[in-house]
Amino acid sequence: MSPILTVDDLDVRYGTIPALSGLSLSVERGSLTALLGANGAGKSTTLNTVAGLLEPARGTVTFDGQDITGRAAHRITRRGLVLVPEGRLVVAPLSVLENLQLSSFARGRSRTAALDEVWELFPRLAERKSQIAGLMSGGEQQMLAIARAWMTKPTMILLDEPSMGLSPALVDIVFEAIAQIHAAGATVLLVEQNAAKALPICDHAYLIHRGDIIASGTPAELDENPDLVARHLGLD
Ligand code: ATP
């Protein structure tokens, strides 16, 4: 397998404050890769830089064989790399269907075909087509945010803390949705504080601490060092 995404030696600063310092990681094509870390470790900064929302002071981002460092976010999306940002950004007063209709959809297929695929992949949303998004549970809103990204038929999807603020039952629903888009062929880079949920479903995980990767491996490899994961997810 070859990486679809390579992040090499990334430095990102907010003004003079360093958020990422020499961060490198790679994501294998077709994998579900987790980026785990505590509050403020630099997870969102990493995703936002990959997605073109932040410009790095140093380093490169390569996606599908092309250097996308510093490219505009909409151009990166068009290449098939889509970000679902933190915070379930659905349009609250609109219905599920209307939220999905707002999304662009992949070239070469109709909006109806894109919607049909979403209904098939997320039957829970199909049952709620006309429900007002803002009145659904947090887990369903997160599912809708993921489904909206799926309308563009991305090659790779970046998920920023999809379980944040959800009850355990709703976290399960969201993780099911993530497993579904992965099974449907998308490469996934999942940012999470919830290592207990993310580790069992990922192929590979990175542990980020203070803007740099401090450990990585398969879930089994990281399991051999449970203290490391616990320490850096609990004590930042
Ligand atoms: P969280 O789980 O809280 O989202 P995170 O791991 O995603 O954490 P980032 O949001 O990437 O972390 O933040 C990394 C560092 O950069 C933190 O020290 C944070 O305080 C800082 N930071 C993030 N956004 C800004 C900003 N807009 N201006 C200044 N500093 C920022």
Side-chain angles (χ1 to χ4, degrees):
M1 285 225 284
S2 61
I4 187 167
L5 178 78
T6 308
V7 169
D8 188 36
D9 206 15
L10 219 54
D11 275 8
V12 178
R13 303 188 188 105
Y14 294 102
T16 55
I17 305 164
L20 301 182
S21 309
L23 182 138
S24 299
L25 59 79
S26 64
V27 175
E28 295 296 318
R29 193 179 289 274
S31 73
L32 199 165
T33 298
L35 177 61
L36 309 172
N39 254 334
K43 304 181 298 297
S44 297
T45 302
T46 304
L47 287 198
N48 290 339
T49 307
V50 169
L53 298 172
L54 292 170
E55 203 162 336
R58 192 180 62 153
T60 55
V61 181
T62 309
F63 175 65
D64 218 0
Q66 294 196 296
D67 185 346
I68 58 162
T69 322
R71 291 279 168 85
H74 68 276
R75 294 182 60 191
I76 293 175
T77 304
R78 225 183 290 144
R79 281 179 192 275
L81 177 57
V82 172
L83 169 69
V84 180
E86 200 173 307
R88 309 192 275 280
L89 301 175
V90 300
V91 185
L94 297 186
S95 71
V96 166
L97 177 61
E98 287 164 339
N99 264 276
L100 292 170
Q101 284 170 333
L102 283 180
S103 170
S104 56
F105 49 97
R107 241 175 286 164
R109 61 179 190 155
S110 68
R111 190 183 292 268
T112 313
L115 278 169
D116 283 347
E117 199 177 311
V118 163
W119 303 140
E120 197 179 312
L121 208 57
F122 305 99
R124 190 181 274 264
L125 293 180
E127 290 161 16
R128 293 167 173 76
K129 282 180 198 171
S130 51
Q131 213 180 103
I132 298 302
L135 297 178
M136 294 199 302
S137 72
E140 286 159 353
Q141 289 186 35
Q142 183 65 59
M143 189 184 285
L144 177 56
I146 295 171
R148 201 170 51 187
W150 187 250
M151 290 284 288
T152 67
K153 193 82 178 165
T155 315
M156 179 165 180
I157 198 158
L158 308 168
L159 295 171
D160 197 349
E161 269 187 69
S163 78
M164 194 176 63
L166 300 180
S167 68
L170 296 183
V171 170
D172 287 344
I173 290 171
V174 169
F175 271 73
E176 231 168 80
I178 296 167
Q180 269 159 331
I181 55 163
H182 180 228
T187 304
V188 178
L189 178 57
L190 168 66
V191 151
E192 266 298 337
Q193 281 191 52
N194 191 339
K197 278 287 169 192
L199 277 174
I201 64 162
C202 74
D203 304 301
H204 195 90
Y206 288 93
L207 193 55
I208 179 173
H209 180 66
R210 294 193 182 150
D212 200 5
I213 301 298
I214 54 158
S216 77
T218 61
E221 285 163 350
L222 289 174
D223 261 355
E224 287 165 16
N225 203 344
D227 285 356
L228 183 79
V229 177
R231 196 163 64 239
H232 287 97
L233 287 173
L235 291 180
D236 205 1

